[in-house]
Amino acid sequence: MTSEELENRLIDFAVSCIKATKRLDQSFASQHLSSQLIRSATSVALNYSEAIAAQSARDYIHKMQICLKELRESKTNLRIQKGADLLKQIQNLDELIDESNQLILIFSKSIYTSKKKNQLKN
């Protein structure tokens, strides 16, 4: 997968999360969790764009770790909303959770590989 393909996948994930939050009720829990989901899901795509333009291997790894952290937060948020039946009208909720899992694996592996390469250089 190229960096552009991954970036597009992250944008699609963020857009899907935004669309999912449009169908929530107006309860405090729904509003709170949907706001947080939008922040974390969009943060991944935005930080990945910065990682692509990193000025050093260390900077790249740091930005990728931020992406991983935000992906984990997004996944947990989706699981909480699913468990609380806040996103019950969303047919693709399990697909969003699965996509977050796949992205977490991609970022975990990329960070691991980058750290190994960086250690070999030092």
Side-chain angles (χ1 to χ4, degrees):
M1 176 181 309
T2 67
S3 59
E4 186 176 339
E5 289 170 334
L6 181 55
E7 184 174 28
N8 287 336
R9 193 167 166 180
L10 294 170
I11 291 168
D12 291 343
F13 176 72
V15 168
S16 294
C17 287
I18 291 168
K19 287 180 179 179
T21 63
K22 288 182 177 182
R23 301 184 200 127
L24 294 172
D25 61 36
Q26 297 300 312
S27 70
F28 174 77
S30 293
Q31 294 301 311
H32 174 73
L33 288 167
S34 66
S35 295
Q36 189 61 40
L37 178 60
I38 290 169
R39 283 192 294 278
S40 61
T42 57
S43 174
V44 180
L46 297 170
N47 277 294
Y48 182 68
S49 293
E50 288 187 26
I52 293 170
Q55 296 178 344
S56 67
R58 189 174 180 183
D59 187 32
Y60 174 80
I61 291 167
H62 175 71
K63 298 267 192 299
M64 293 293 282
Q65 288 173 323
I66 292 170
C67 292
L68 180 59
K69 177 183 158 223
E70 297 292 342
L71 279 167
R72 287 184 174 136
E73 182 177 323
S74 297
K75 175 186 156 190
T76 302
N77 187 310
L78 289 165
R79 290 179 60 215
I80 291 168
Q81 291 196 58
K82 179 181 180 181
D85 288 327
L86 299 176
L87 290 174
K88 53 188 163 195
Q89 297 176 8
I90 308 302
Q91 294 176 349
N92 65 344
L93 180 57
D94 288 327
E95 291 173 16
L96 277 175
I97 293 170
D98 182 57
E99 178 67 357
S100 65
N101 278 325
Q102 290 179 36
L103 291 168
I104 286 168
L105 291 173
I106 291 168
F107 276 81
S108 296
K109 182 65 175 173
S110 181
I111 291 165
Y112 174 80
T113 303
S114 296
K115 283 182 175 180
K116 284 288 189 192
K117 284 181 184 178
N118 201 31
Q119 284 176 351
L120 292 175
K121 289 181 182 178
N122 294 331

